[in-house]
């Protein structure tokens, strides 16, 4: 089947899936025979033939897929383009890699994909049902970090605690995201992110990367803290996650999106973080994602042409976000503790930097980062800037569960 047809099929099936949501809302998610067939067709379109597969103790399946046959290329805008970035930022080739982050386990031993393939977490029917269920509840993805909407609207409660940067012109961001497992209920989401955005208001494009706790989306695992990416263009692309939508071109054989992250930080104990970077190829305009200094993949510039996001970002954001259905109390954000408790207790984002038009990694001017809290009563952001390491530009953010906004 031609890629375009596949894409159209996906869109159609996504619409068809709306039918399933009523059952899903009752926590049953038992599709009819017909719906099941539709889901299976959709899965077939999403999960490409694997050269090799692995199953983890958590029940996740990882497939090694030929790089040119991955789902990304089902996107109609991604037909003719090459796989390599044309400018590799200096830091990727430098040896200046901190040892701490490398000890994080992303995959169990023994999982390795052959050359010429990429590693992809296999999408399951449960994944589709639960993603659809969230959508039916009104959660389409992380909320745009600039808009000052109500914390509560017809579909749910959303809270954000971040530092924001912009409007400016720059080509990337980085940060170390402290890893925690905030407590959430089945239908709630708590996430940490770094994000870039730009383009005109009606076509605002954004890219988020970070970790997410979302029992619905990652149903089978006991380990809920997952690496995720999300991209969105207001008014056109409805937004979708790492594994279930075309667009993101995976290049890594080692770092699958959607894999669970460990070890997690302990309150008043050991702290762990992941080093995330979003940077733009300054020649082609592609947006790259690097995890602990390894290139995971990229969103080709052609996805963002209509949004005029293919050259330079205008805004950046670092911090946390939660979503809850209206009928439930809010979940924890970050470590579930207030920023004022500080290191070892509150969740942090450290080493906040931006990448300028020349590809230099810079600490933003102290005054150029602004705290942003949609409800200071529920969750807070505390911006920290010092003149020397290790907290030159950093953020503590979060708060406990059970707030009434
Ligand atoms: C892609 O490349 C092929 C061969 O180079 C060409 O025939 C085709 O028109 C191109 N398609 C697009 C959408 O640019
Ligand atoms: C926020 O919510 C209040 C009460 O529900 C409503 O009156 C107001 O119009 C809302 N504001 C926005 C910007 O949606
Ligand atoms: C944190 O750890 C220290 C040293 O182990 C201990 O003395 C202190 O009581 C702990 N504080 C809390 C709030 O658990």
């Amino acid at each position: 089947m031609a890629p375009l047809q596949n894409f159209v099929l996906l869109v159609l099936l996504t619409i068809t899936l709306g039918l399933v949501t009523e059952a899903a809302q009752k926590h049953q998610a038992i599709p009819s025979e017909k719906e099941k067939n539709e889901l299976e067709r959709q899965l077939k379109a999403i999960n490409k033939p694997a050269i090799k597969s692995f199953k983890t103790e958590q029940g996740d399946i990882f497939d090694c897929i030929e790089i040119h046959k991955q789902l990304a290329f089902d996107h109609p805008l991604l037909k003719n383009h090459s796989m390599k970035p044309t400018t590799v930022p200096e830091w990727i080739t430098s040896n200046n890699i901190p040892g701490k982050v490398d000890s994080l386990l992303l995959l169990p031993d023994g999982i390795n994909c052959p050359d010429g393939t990429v590693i992809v977490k296999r999408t399951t029917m449960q994944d589709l049902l639960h993603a659809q269920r969230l959508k039916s509840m009104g959660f389409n993805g992380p909320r745009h970090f600039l808009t000052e909407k109500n914390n509560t609207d017809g579909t749910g409660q959303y809270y954000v605690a971040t530092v924001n940067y912009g409007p400016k012109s720059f080509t990337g961001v980085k940060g170390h995201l402290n890893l925690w497992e905030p407590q959430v209920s089945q239908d709630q989401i708590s996430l940490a992110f770094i994000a870039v955005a730009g383009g005109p208001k009606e076509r605002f494009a954004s890219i988020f990367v970070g970790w997410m706790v979302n029992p619905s989306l990652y149903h089978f695992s006991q380990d809920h803290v997952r690496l995720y990416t999300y991209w969105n263009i207001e008014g056109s692309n409805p937004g979708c996650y790492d594994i279930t939508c075309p667009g993101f071109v995976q290049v890594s054989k080692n770092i699958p999106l959607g894999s669970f992250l460990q070890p997690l930080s302990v309150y008043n104990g050991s702290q762990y973080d992941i080093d995330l970077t979003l940077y733009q190829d300054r020649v082609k305009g592609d947006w790259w994602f690097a995890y602990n200094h390894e290139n995971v993949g990229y969103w080709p510039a052609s996805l963002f042409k209509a949004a005029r996001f293919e050259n330079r970002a205008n805004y950046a954001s670092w911090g946390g976000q939660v979503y809850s259905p209206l009928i439930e109390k809010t979940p924890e954000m970050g470590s579930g503790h207030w920023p004022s408790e500080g290191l070892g207790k509150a969740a942090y984002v450290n080493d906040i930097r931006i990448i300028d038009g020349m590809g230099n990694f810079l600490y933003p001017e102290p005054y150029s980062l602004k705290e942003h809290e949609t409800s200071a009563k529920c969750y807070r952001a505390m911006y920290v800037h010092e003149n020397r390491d290790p907290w030159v530009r950093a953020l503590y953010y979060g708060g406990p569960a059970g707030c009434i906004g």
Side-chain angles (χ1 to χ4, degrees):
M1 198 187 293
L4 180 58
Q5 282 167 322
N6 265 350
F7 181 73
V8 171
L9 181 66
L10 279 179
V11 170
L12 287 177
L13 289 172
T14 305
I15 293 164
T16 314
L17 268 174
L19 301 171
V20 185
T21 55
E22 209 180 330
Q25 247 155 13
K26 294 179 193 133
H27 277 246
Q28 285 158 359
I30 301 167
S32 72
E33 238 1 80
K34 188 169 161 228
E35 289 157 350
K36 229 173 160 176
N37 290 341
E38 295 294 297
L39 286 168
E40 256 147 27
R41 279 171 60 198
Q42 187 174 17
L43 281 178
K44 230 179 229 167
I46 291 175
N47 292 322
K48 301 303 181 194
I51 301 285
K52 215 170 156 185
S53 299
F54 304 90
K55 188 166 185 177
T56 67
E57 270 174 38
Q58 286 78 26
D60 290 340
I61 296 174
F62 292 100
D63 290 324
C64 307
I65 289 168
E66 283 179 79
I67 192 161
H68 290 100
K69 294 190 176 162
Q70 61 181 299
L71 178 66
F73 299 113
D74 286 2
H75 196 290
L77 291 174
L78 302 191
K79 285 192 188 142
N80 298 339
H81 71 113
S82 62
M83 301 297 299
K84 298 263 183 236
T86 47
T87 56
V88 178
E90 182 192 335
W91 61 274
I92 283 184
T93 50
S94 83
N95 295 319
N96 191 19
I97 296 171
K100 192 178 102 189
V101 289
D102 288 350
S103 67
L104 285 181
L105 305 171
L106 204 55
L107 289 172
D109 273 349
I111 294 190
N112 44 55
C113 283
D115 287 345
T117 69
V118 295
I119 187 160
V120 176
K121 182 174 171 290
R122 193 182 298 175
T123 300
T124 65
M125 184 165 304
Q126 284 298 326
D127 290 337
L128 292 185
L129 283 168
H130 285 289
Q132 201 55 36
R133 169 180 164 76
L134 280 177
K135 227 169 214 180
S136 75
M137 295 188 307
F139 183 85
N140 284 314
R143 201 174 233 207
H144 186 340
F145 54 83
L146 293 171
T147 45
E148 296 275 358
K149 285 182 197 155
N150 283 350
N151 290 307
T152 300
D153 66 16
T155 61
Q157 316 172 62
Y158 302 81
Y159 298 89
V160 174
T162 57
V163 285
N164 294 346
Y165 176 81
K168 302 261 188 196
S169 178
F170 58 100
T171 62
V173 293
K174 84 177 244 100
H176 290 187
L177 287 190
N178 194 196
L179 285 176
W180 289 91
E181 184 169 25
Q183 296 302 301
V184 303
S185 75
Q186 178 69 22
D187 292 332
Q188 295 177 327
I189 291 157
S190 189
L191 55 94
F193 65 90
I194 69 173
V196 291
K201 204 173 170 191
E202 65 289 353
R203 283 255 154 157
F204 204 71
S206 47
I207 297 174
F208 289 74
V209 295
W211 56 256
M212 174 185 284
V213 179
N214 172 2
S216 289
L217 189 58
Y218 302 116
H219 176 71
F220 280 132
S221 176
Q222 300 148 343
D223 303 277
H224 292 317
V225 186
R226 301 274 183 164
L227 180 67
Y228 81 97
T229 65
Y230 178 85
W231 66 284
N232 171 268
I233 300 173
E234 297 273 316
S236 59
N237 176 49
C240 48
Y241 292 98
D242 36 13
I243 39 181
T244 50
C245 64
F248 180 77
V249 180
Q250 175 89 16
V251 300
S252 171
K253 306 193 292 171
N254 305 313
I255 302 169
L257 302 182
S259 60
F260 77 91
L261 297 166
Q262 62 171 22
L264 302 170
S265 302
V266 176
Y267 183 74
N268 201 23
S270 303
Q271 299 299 302
Y272 298 94
D273 60 36
I274 51 176
D275 181 347
L276 305 181
T277 308
L278 282 170
Y279 70 94
Q280 190 165 37
D281 176 326
R282 298 193 305 284
V283 175
K284 289 187 182 170
D286 302 335
W287 276 95
W288 280 83
F289 169 38
Y291 171 94
N292 288 352
H293 299 232
E294 175 166 343
N295 284 316
V296 181
Y298 64 102
W299 294 266
S302 49
L303 294 174
F304 298 113
K305 284 241 153 66
R308 301 204 294 274
F309 188 45
E310 79 278 15
N311 70 64
R312 304 290 187 270
N314 304 121
Y315 297 94
S317 185
W318 299 257
Q321 188 168 147
V322 298
Y323 163 83
S324 174
L326 288 171
I327 53 166
E328 291 181 49
K329 286 184 176 168
T330 55
E332 292 181 343
M333 183 195 285
S335 66
H337 291 265
W338 297 111
S340 56
E341 291 193 39
L343 184 60
K345 295 172 180 168
Y348 66 79
V349 185
N350 195 14
D351 203 32
I352 289 176
R353 299 202 209 194
I354 56 128
I355 307 169
D356 70 7
M358 306 298 290
N360 303 307
F361 280 66
L362 307 173
Y363 291 115
E365 293 294 335
Y367 56 82
S368 67
L369 290 171
K370 300 247 169 5
E371 289 166 357
H372 176 66
E373 298 158 332
T374 57
S375 170
K377 231 170 84 190
C378 299
Y379 305 101
R380 292 191 199 131
M382 190 174 94
Y383 169 41
V384 175
H385 54 95
E386 294 174 355
N387 287 328
R388 50 203 162 89
D389 281 345
W391 302 93
V392 184
R393 300 286 180 272
L395 167 76
Y396 289 107
Y397 71 92
C403 170
I404 298 159

